[in-house]
Amino acid sequence: MNKQNTKKGFTVVELLVAISIMMLLLLVVSNFQKDIFSLNTNLQNNLNAQLDARHLIKVMVTELRKTSQSSLGSYPIEVASSTGITFYSDVGNNGSIDKVRYFLSGNTIRRGVITPTGNPLVYNSGSEVLTTIMNSVVSSSTLPIFQYYSSAYDGTNASLATPVDIASIRLVKINIIIDKDPNRSPVQLVVTSNVTLRNLKDNF
């Protein structure tokens, strides 16, 4: 008696179920890879922003530390607000006292420099050189970009009240809050530093 060989295969329903499971797994893996890539990109962007902010603050601290009278004899600080500061400093290290301002414009910190020219010397606002220094900066009412302190500051005192008495400023605290994408984690990055205005020191 001949025995007939029977071949058992997948039914159409089984094939459809298998294909559906594979498609689902591929979708999950694809989304996972996309999320990981997006997170890594976001983390790298925030790290770069933090490094840029630290560099910015380092430059600002250096320039503010050597604040001095202008070439015309004006007081070393001209404007002091929560989002901007204008002061005089030899930022070119060439013996010329420049007029420098840092200010927030939208979510960007910009720097303006005016080098005195002419005889007698004048600070011509038309010759100001403006540079974009930092993007993705967040303005905060609880942590202003610039805070000012008097000679009585001991590390715990409150900052000078606004409007700030410019003649009382002896120390400036700089706070840069960065958020490359407000709709994504991680949370905002905060970079901060203090600078004593050495040419205005009295009882420090």
Side-chain angles (χ1 to χ4, degrees):
M1 182 180 291
N2 292 331
K3 295 182 178 180
Q4 291 183 346
N5 293 328
T6 58
K7 294 183 179 180
K8 194 174 182 180
F10 291 106
T11 66
V12 174
V13 174
E14 289 173 331
L15 283 173
L16 289 175
V17 170
I19 291 172
S20 297
I21 292 173
M22 288 180 62
M23 293 296 292
L24 181 60
L25 288 174
L26 286 174
L27 181 63
V28 170
V29 171
S30 176
N31 286 336
F32 179 73
Q33 289 179 331
K34 182 180 178 182
D35 290 341
I36 291 296
F37 179 77
S38 178
L39 179 60
N40 286 339
T41 300
N42 200 35
L43 287 172
Q44 187 61 50
N45 287 340
N46 276 277
L47 177 60
N48 291 338
Q50 186 177 28
L51 293 175
D52 289 343
R54 291 187 184 281
H55 175 70
L56 165 61
I57 284 185
K58 183 178 180 181
V59 172
M60 293 172 68
V61 165
T62 300
E63 295 178 352
L64 279 165
R65 183 173 288 126
K66 56 186 182 180
T67 296
S68 60
Q69 284 189 342
S70 76
S71 297
L72 307 181
S74 301
Y75 192 73
I77 301 174
E78 185 174 292
V79 175
S81 72
S82 61
T83 58
I85 184 170
T86 301
F87 59 97
Y88 295 93
S89 179
D90 180 9
V91 298
N93 296 315
N94 55 11
S96 177
I97 306 301
D98 305 294
K99 183 176 181 178
V100 185
R101 65 176 180 136
Y102 285 93
F103 61 98
L104 184 67
S105 176
N107 66 341
T108 300
I109 291 181
R110 306 197 72 193
R111 176 179 182 259
V113 177
I114 302 175
T115 300
T117 56
N119 187 13
L121 290 173
V122 294
Y123 291 94
N124 182 358
S125 59
S127 65
E128 182 180 34
V129 177
L130 287 169
T131 309
T132 296
I133 302 298
M134 187 79 203
N135 293 311
S136 304
V137 177
V138 178
S139 178
S140 170
S141 58
T142 57
L143 189 63
I145 296 175
F146 298 103
Q147 293 175 292
Y148 308 94
Y149 298 85
S150 70
S151 58
Y153 182 67
D154 62 4
T156 60
N157 308 53
S159 59
L160 294 171
T162 54
V164 177
D165 178 11
I166 290 178
S168 297
I169 298 173
R170 294 295 179 273
L171 180 142
V172 179
K173 184 176 183 181
I174 308 166
N175 309 292
I176 306 295
I177 305 174
I178 313 153
D179 195 345
K180 296 294 289 185
D181 189 343
N183 299 317
R184 291 184 178 180
S185 295
V187 296
Q188 297 173 345
L189 298 172
V190 180
V191 181
T192 184
S193 184
N194 297 338
V195 53
T196 299
L197 309 182
R198 66 184 184 187
N199 292 327
L200 298 182
K201 291 191 297 185
D202 41 32
N203 66 347
F204 266 82

